[in-house]
Amino acid sequence: MDEFIKRYKIKIRALSPIHVGNGEKIGKKEYINLLWDHKVIIPDLIKMYTDICKAGLEKEYIKYMLNEQTDLGIWLKKHGFQKKDYQRWKRYELDSGDALSGSPVGRQVRTKEIMCITKDAYGLPFIPGSSLKGMIRTALLAYEIKQNPEKYREVCTSIKNNVRQFAKRDQCLSRETSDLETMAFHTLGRDEKKKGNAVNSCLSGLIVSDSKPISLKSLTLSQKIDYTLDGKEKPLPILKEALIPDTEISFEISIDRTQCKYTIDIILDALEDFQQNMYRNFYSRFRRGSEEKGIVWLGGGCGFLSKTIIYPVFKNDAVRITDAIFKNTLGKNYSIHKHNKDISLRAAPHVCKCTYYDGRLYDMGMGKIEAVSI
């Protein structure tokens, strides 16, 4: 059996902060901002609340939670708590970077909730295999369509025709996308009556593990920055736990060659082709991104392009189609977020997603991948 299964150790080195969320959030009154230490402490709320009650401050704390807008750290200091108390309550801490302490250009944000990175049962960050495989899946689909454009022409034409129909964000073009994936990947013929059945997918033979646990010391707090075509920066009150640059993300890929038609070389070629397309059609417009070999884009915050095949498939029509998707899925936010400028600027979206770390502006979600056979 081993001769049919190829295993590879994969490493992605973070070139910028990377955030893969789990949907959990830390409320703005659930963390302690040590402003001058550039640290954020995430406390065990039960331990903290127990000490607050022991100090006879239960009613004051309830009043604070219900009515006050003060940072938790300021409230605790006002009522006599000190760093030694914070350390006793601490679940973990992370570098707040430039997100809460101002920046070289004078930014500062009010305390906001923090979007958590995915963590395992022991509280350590990791990147789920589903996220890693999703990155590969998108690149392979774009690669398939590029290799066999005539095969997919009818479905791609259907996307062009239906893109103006109003839909929820998670339902937009879902049927057309499903049709493309069925044509590209459902080649095993295990269920001939229902080709769309997942048992027919050759990607069932592509097994992508979760990453190894990552040290909490590799976490930072990242603030979302919208970067415009003319180089202006717009900080937004969105904070995320993220892996710092140079963090190593290690995982394994197993390919069952009796099921999966893709080799590791094809997978890496597809990822490379996808990245080069993103650079040519988007990042280069902002004088950002990289032409370096082996670049991949992972997680939340690296934008619409990294999750879809619109740009590599539709090329010159991509801006118009992307604009139509935004118009018919964002509702009033289409105008609020100024997507009505996309067509005239010939860039959709018209901002690049960035963040600051250690005084430097980074594109969000950039890494470099390499594979070694086991």
Side-chain angles (χ1 to χ4, degrees):
M1 180 62 70
D2 286 348
E3 62 184 286
F4 298 113
I5 298 179
K6 301 293 184 181
R7 295 174 58 223
Y8 302 89
K9 288 184 177 180
I10 312 295
K11 292 181 181 180
I12 295 177
R13 181 171 66 88
L15 299 181
S16 72
I18 293 176
H19 166 84
V20 177
N22 60 0
E24 294 182 7
K25 296 179 180 179
I26 300 171
K28 59 185 180 180
K29 296 181 179 181
E30 295 177 341
Y31 64 92
I32 304 168
N33 178 19
L34 303 180
L35 183 64
W36 305 114
D37 292 339
H38 301 278
K39 297 287 184 183
V40 165
I41 289 179
I42 312 300
D44 183 313
L45 295 178
I46 295 177
K47 290 181 179 179
M48 184 183 77
Y49 182 65
T50 298
D51 281 0
I52 287 173
C53 291
K54 285 180 180 178
L57 295 168
E58 181 178 3
K59 290 184 179 179
E60 289 294 322
Y61 179 67
I62 293 173
K63 179 182 176 181
Y64 160 71
M65 292 296 290
L66 291 175
N67 300 310
E68 296 185 33
Q69 298 302 316
T70 309
D71 288 359
L72 177 59
I74 294 175
W75 185 90
L76 290 168
K77 185 177 181 180
K78 175 183 175 183
H79 289 85
F81 293 101
Q82 302 176 14
K83 283 186 180 181
K84 63 180 182 180
D85 301 305
Y86 309 160
Q87 292 299 320
R88 191 171 63 254
W89 305 333
K90 184 175 71 175
R91 287 171 51 211
Y92 64 97
E93 70 179 28
L94 61 155
D95 176 18
S96 64
D98 300 297
L100 292 173
S101 57
S103 78
V105 291
R107 292 189 328 274
Q108 188 165 346
V109 296
R110 295 172 59 188
T111 302
K112 296 293 181 182
E113 64 185 11
I114 297 172
M115 301 171 67
C116 295
I117 201 167
T118 303
K119 299 183 185 73
D120 64 16
Y122 300 97
L124 294 176
F126 76 103
I127 306 298
S130 56
S131 297
L132 296 163
K133 188 171 181 178
M135 174 187 72
I136 294 170
R137 185 189 193 95
T138 301
L140 284 174
L141 184 57
Y143 184 82
E144 279 281 349
I145 297 172
K146 178 182 178 181
Q147 298 299 314
N148 304 283
E150 288 300 322
K151 178 180 178 181
Y152 302 97
R153 187 175 300 280
E154 184 176 342
V155 180
C156 290
T157 300
S158 179
I159 290 175
K160 283 186 179 181
N161 294 337
N162 296 333
V163 74
R164 296 187 182 280
Q165 296 178 6
F166 176 79
K168 294 181 180 179
R169 292 183 69 176
D170 60 347
Q171 297 176 353
C172 180
L173 301 175
S174 59
R175 180 178 60 81
E176 291 82 0
T177 301
S178 178
D179 288 345
L180 285 174
E181 292 187 352
T182 297
M183 293 174 67
F185 304 134
H186 290 219
T187 58
L188 297 183
R190 290 170 172 167
D191 184 349
E192 295 182 359
K193 293 183 179 180
K194 190 176 180 181
K195 192 173 182 181
N197 192 325
V199 301
N200 290 323
S201 176
C202 70
L203 295 187
S204 61
L206 176 64
I207 311 301
V208 183
S209 75
D210 293 339
S211 78
K212 292 180 179 179
I214 300 166
S215 171
L216 287 166
K217 294 180 180 179
S218 294
L219 282 186
T220 189
L221 199 60
S222 291
Q223 179 187 0
K224 182 179 179 182
I225 307 290
D226 278 352
Y227 186 87
T228 65
L229 287 165
D230 56 1
K232 294 179 180 178
E233 300 171 20
K234 181 182 179 182
L236 299 175
I238 298 174
L239 304 177
K240 300 177 181 181
E241 293 181 337
L243 303 177
I244 63 175
D246 282 330
T247 299
E248 189 174 276
I249 302 167
S250 299
F251 60 101
E252 291 187 6
I253 288 179
S254 298
I255 302 176
D256 183 345
R257 297 292 288 136
T258 66
Q259 301 180 50
C260 183
K261 60 183 179 178
Y262 301 110
T263 65
I264 194 66
D265 288 336
I266 291 176
I267 290 171
L268 294 176
D269 284 348
L271 289 168
E272 180 65 25
D273 196 60
F274 192 84
Q275 132 69 12
Q276 291 298 330
N277 188 283
M278 288 182 63
Y279 177 78
R280 288 193 305 270
N281 293 296
F282 185 73
Y283 282 103
S284 63
R285 295 285 314 281
F286 296 84
R287 297 169 298 281
R288 302 203 59 81
S290 173
E291 288 185 281
E292 186 178 350
K293 296 289 185 181
I295 298 296
V296 292
W297 299 90
L298 179 64
C302 51
F304 174 84
L305 276 75
S306 69
K307 308 296 189 294
T308 68
I309 60 168
I310 299 299
Y311 270 80
V313 171
F314 293 102
K315 299 180 177 62
N316 294 335
D317 286 334
V319 170
R320 179 184 62 80
I321 291 172
T322 302
D323 176 69
I325 291 172
F326 290 160
K327 183 179 292 185
N328 291 289
T329 58
L330 296 180
K332 64 180 181 181
N333 286 327
Y334 175 79
S335 296
I336 292 173
H337 295 162
K338 299 181 180 180
H339 285 295
N340 51 336
K341 295 182 177 180
D342 290 358
I343 295 294
S344 61
L345 293 172
R346 293 181 291 110
H350 60 274
V351 293
C352 186
K353 308 301 182 184
C354 297
T355 192
Y356 267 94
Y357 175 73
D358 198 22
R360 175 184 168 188
L361 187 67
Y362 285 88
D363 300 309
M364 193 74 185
M366 184 193 294
K368 185 170 184 177
I369 193 169
E370 61 176 285
V372 178
S373 180
I374 298 177

